[in-house]
Amino acid sequence: MREEPGRLRAMHLSAALLVCLAAPAFFVLEQPVLGFALLVAGLILAWGAEQSSGRMARRTPSLLRDLSLIAIGLAIVRTIPLAAGLDDWSMIKFTLALGGAVAVPYAVSRYLYRDRATAFPWFGSGRWGRLHWGWLAAALVLAWLILPWYFISSGVYLNWPVVDTPELMARLFIGVGAVGIWDELFFIGTVFTALLRHFPPWAANLLQAIVFASFLWELGYRAWGPLLTIPFALMQGHVYLRTRHSLAYVVTVHLLFDAVVFAVLVHAYNPQLFDVFPTAP
């Protein structure tokens, strides 16, 4: 009898929580020793959970293997500081580390574990209906109203480099968009997808939101940023399921937000540009 992923088991959940809590240890507290200790503890507990399950573990996806993919991705991301930078070397480091955090777990899952625990279904199944198009429009309006007030009134825009030349603006545009796409490939295509193999959607979504919000904290979304990033992460997981696993949709939503982020950052440093935000202080 195959165990359904909808069944929540305390030992399994504890193992996943320890692994996901490594993200705030890495990216919020900036305590790498604590982060790696949490990863190791989570993987050991996952091994114990599988051992206690006996033969049942052989009929279900391996929790230990799937959590190891998340751990590998987090460890790779932690190899670089996440402070935003627009110079050549910073952009190269981001490309290698973030790209590796998606590619390496995928390769390990497909070619070593041979179970395809990570997935990147671009279009999912089914057409986008009125609800989907309506959320795209609502997301854009909400970003237009909320993000200028957040970035400028809190001063968090200072966590990004000054952009006062066309070249720097172009680099910022590319960087913000690229990181936005990566967010969905890692947090949804890797973390959320792996967790869904073991937990009901609500639990898997809460766990991936911990990782998502922690990463964005170090990237620069500080002050009261988690009040925005946590609901955004939860909504992205929810709409991913509602669109029947369409990465194209969640990436589109994220890029709309990021387009506003780009405009707000440029406006913050150059008030005469993109002066279209009624909530900007």
Side-chain angles (χ1 to χ4, degrees):
M1 179 178 178
R2 181 181 176 87
E3 180 184 357
E4 294 299 325
R7 181 181 175 186
L8 195 60
R9 306 182 68 178
M11 198 169 178
H12 291 64
L13 180 61
S14 297
L17 182 59
L18 286 172
V19 169
C20 291
L21 285 176
F26 281 145
F27 308 127
V28 180
L29 301 178
E30 299 188 26
Q31 296 291 328
V33 174
L34 175 61
F36 283 110
L38 288 168
L39 290 181
V40 171
L43 295 178
I44 291 174
L45 189 58
W47 176 83
E50 292 190 344
Q51 294 302 306
S52 66
S53 299
R55 291 183 60 84
M56 180 64 72
R58 302 175 189 175
R59 303 190 182 100
T60 60
S62 169
L63 178 67
L64 175 60
R65 288 184 174 184
D66 290 352
L67 291 183
S68 75
L69 300 176
I70 299 173
I72 290 169
L74 290 175
I76 292 174
V77 174
R78 184 61 287 169
T79 61
I80 65 168
L82 295 177
L86 298 177
D87 58 282
D88 291 343
W89 178 232
S90 293
M91 298 185 78
I92 291 171
K93 286 192 298 183
F94 262 72
T95 300
L96 294 176
L98 301 191
V102 171
V104 174
Y106 174 80
V108 169
S109 177
R110 180 170 182 179
Y111 299 111
L112 181 61
Y113 298 162
R114 298 184 181 278
D115 59 3
R116 296 175 181 266
T118 68
F120 309 103
W122 192 246
F123 295 107
S125 59
R127 292 184 175 183
W128 297 359
R130 294 180 183 176
L131 180 63
H132 304 116
W133 289 106
W135 171 239
L136 287 178
L140 184 60
V141 172
L142 287 172
W144 176 64
L145 291 174
I146 297 172
L147 293 180
W149 173 258
Y150 163 62
F151 273 94
I152 299 175
S153 69
S154 67
V156 297
Y157 73 92
L158 297 171
N159 294 328
W160 278 261
V162 175
V163 282
D164 54 4
T165 68
E167 180 186 358
L168 290 174
M169 292 177 194
R171 285 173 176 261
L172 178 66
F173 182 80
I174 293 170
V176 167
V179 171
I181 294 171
W182 176 85
D183 283 345
E184 303 308 331
L185 294 179
F186 184 67
F187 300 117
I188 297 296
T190 302
V191 177
F192 191 40
T193 299
L195 293 170
L196 281 171
R197 286 155 56 94
H198 305 275
F199 306 107
W202 67 265
N205 205 16
L206 286 171
L207 289 168
Q208 71 85 17
I210 293 173
V211 184
F212 189 113
S214 300
F215 171 83
L216 291 186
W217 176 271
E218 185 174 349
L219 192 64
Y221 292 79
R222 303 193 178 186
W224 48 277
L227 296 178
L228 300 177
T229 57
I230 293 174
F232 182 74
L234 292 172
M235 182 58 72
Q236 287 294 83
H238 177 69
V239 298
Y240 178 70
L241 296 176
R242 287 293 300 268
T243 56
R244 300 177 183 177
H245 298 185
S246 173
L247 271 178
Y249 186 84
V250 294
V251 166
T252 300
V253 172
H254 202 128
L255 290 180
L256 287 175
F257 267 82
D258 283 348
V260 178
V261 169
F262 164 77
V264 170
L265 290 173
V266 172
H267 175 69
Y269 284 114
N270 308 271
Q272 76 280 8
L273 298 178
F274 299 119
D275 189 14
V276 294
F277 301 112
T279 60

